[in-house]
Amino acid sequence: MTVKHGRVDLTRGRGAGARPYNRPMLVLGIESSCDETGVALYEGGAGGGRLLAHALHSQVAMHAAYGGVVPELASRDHIRRVLPLTRHVLTASAKALADLDGVAYTQGPGLAGALLVGASVANGLAYALGIPAVGIHHLEGHLLSPLLAEPAPRFPFVALLVSGGHTQLLAVEGVGRYQLLGESLDDAAGEAFDKTAMLLGLPYPGGAELSRLAETGDPLRFRLPRPMLGSGDLDFSFSGLKTAVLTLVRKHARAGEAVPPELRADIARAFQEAVVDVLAAKSLAALTISGRRRLVVAGGVGANKQLRERLRAECARRGVELFFPPLELCTDNGAMIALAGALRMGAGTRDYAFSIRPRWPLGELLTPR
Amino acid sequence: MTRNRTVVALDATADLCSVAWSDGVNWIERSESAGQRHSALIISMVDSILREAGAHLSDLSEIAFGAGPGSFTGLRIACGVAQGLALGAQLPVRAVSSLLALAQAAREDAVVTALDARMNEVYWAAWRRQEAGSEWQVASAPAVAPAATVRLPPGARWYGAGSGFSAYPALGAAMPTLAGCDPSLRVTARAIAELALAEHGVLGAADQAFPHYIRDKVALTTLERAGAR
């Protein structure tokens, strides 16, 4: 994060006066880092905050025809969605623009063009309203999203952040105090799900469909390797699993023909068993190493049923508290950005000289003032 | 009493980041060579011209922006900022063609405008008007084409303008009858503000303001890639 000295107050719009003491802080959050546009309104207060409304537009169907996210198309869609979603959350929560105290947006990491859309609208709006704008780290949003759950976890905790873009284990001491314990050295877990689905002939993005198929598969027919299970550290590697799946497909399916449904389900099951084993084992090891008794799972793969069941059983056995964000907030969303924005609004600026950070190591985040 | 229309115009079509304020009589403008820094500059430039004008956003009748064609990212920065400003200040937004802005800046009455579209192509259009101050007519609508294939529309004493002519000499070579050409002419917010005050472009609600990319095919679908093999 850029540390700015001699901050300039460029406030020109309405409502530039100080906020009345003790009034809850109303923050608009805008997420546009990849292929979902999310907008939300979060009301922060001394006694805790609450999510007033959130809205999401997913581009998954649009990118499906291309076999993956096309960054330029993602950006073109975001700029059509941010304002309508903003109007929607304001209407849904019976709030007016004049009620806003700040605007938060995802500053990175993510697709540069996509990030710029949210940043441009957020800063233009904040300037016009005379309120601060604050750039949020996308992964901090995910890390803090369990705070939107009821009950919310208390700090400190270990977080397993597992999505299409990331697989990380972090020790979370408080807002802005994160220590990376381990991460994927190659593919993210969600990415491995999608790529494996493609090998089995499922249409992009097939990760979720692969999980559904796995439920019907035979867990004992195939056994795939558990990459890095005995590596002695908390890092992951998932790209090798793809190769193992490809070998199975070549061995059991006829060349040039579709993989038969039963074989597909059994391979899907074997793949999922391997991923869940590794994710669960490393999460438990992270708890032991850091001496923590609370585990928080965030990110899209956190919606995976088998992972949830396994972690529930293992945590219950060890007396570890386990938290998941609400299912609808597992994917990218504006709610987590609005929440992080409310916690970081102290760092909000009124110079509106925005920039984005497509690559932004979480370790460079500062603790909010 | 009818109030004068006042506008703020933004442009980030290419390297320049420029903004302009006008009430139809007075003009305040800023332009900076921005490289990749449009996002860091554009709002403070708007703030600077409003301060100089002693005006507030809420005094304006509309926000205008250079809608393209041009750098995809630049178009979205100008469009996104225009959307945000307009939503917050409850103003409509006017999308103005960057190719028409070039014609406006050329101070001629029959102008072929062309911008570098990369990949040996240009964004181009042709515009005519009776005389300075009269309404622009489209002689050839904005399009993207290989530089060497662009042909002048019939009639008129055409002038050329824009980076398309310097990026691809083949473009000027294909137009031997050009009366003159200024490849160094650039899109400015000043020209966009002039066009906005003359009610060119498309005025609408903030959430209906979008870039006009012209180049709409930017990726191949899985089926198209398979078919191309």
Side-chain angles (χ1 to χ4, degrees), chain A residues 12 14 65 72 87 127 354, chain B residues 39 47 56 76 88 207 222:
Chain A
R12 301 293 292 167
R14 297 168 282 125
E72 176 58 24
R87 288 194 200 279
Y127 170 77
F354 58 99
Chain B
S39 65
D47 188 70
H56 286 82
R76 280 189 292 267
D207 54 11
T222 314

Side-chain angles (χ1 to χ4, degrees), chain B residues 4-188:
Chain B
N4 281 342
R5 289 174 57 239
T6 57
V7 301
V8 158
L10 319 171
D11 185 75
T13 304
D15 174 65
L16 272 193
C17 180
S18 75
V19 301
W21 170 91
S22 178
D23 58 3
V25 179
N26 305 290
W27 294 87
I28 301 172
E29 53 190 292
R30 303 265 188 283
S31 278
E32 261 188 68
S33 177
Q36 307 278 315
R37 299 186 58 250
H38 297 85
S39 65
L41 297 171
I42 193 162
I43 294 180
S44 65
M45 289 169 76
V46 168
D47 188 70
S48 152
I49 57 170
L50 284 174
R51 278 171 191 264
E52 191 179 328
H56 286 82
L57 274 179
S58 50
D59 302 332
L60 302 176
S61 15
E62 63 187 63
I63 308 273
F65 76 106
S71 147
F72 296 159
T73 295
L75 301 183
R76 280 189 292 267
I77 291 174
C79 180
V81 168
Q83 284 184 355
L85 293 175
L87 178 68
Q90 299 176 35
L91 298 171
V93 176
R94 186 183 297 272
V96 175
S97 164
S98 41
L99 290 168
L100 181 56
L102 272 177
Q104 176 77 10
R107 311 286 171 209
E108 297 287 346
D109 298 327
V111 191
V112 176
T113 56
L115 290 165
D116 183 2
R118 309 289 169 91
M119 302 189 280
N120 289 316
E121 294 190 320
V122 289
Y123 298 117
W124 78 283
W127 316 87
R128 300 178 68 163
R129 60 181 178 186
Q130 290 298 318
E131 59 193 3
S134 67
E135 200 180 328
W136 285 104
Q137 307 291 334
V138 182
S140 186
V144 62
T149 67
V150 175
R151 295 291 175 265
L152 278 180
R157 245 170 82 79
W158 292 103
Y159 281 80
S163 63
F165 288 93
S166 45
Y168 304 108
L171 182 65
M175 303 175 180
T177 58
L178 272 188
C181 185
D182 185 355
S184 69
L185 204 65
R186 295 193 279 186
V187 181
T188 61

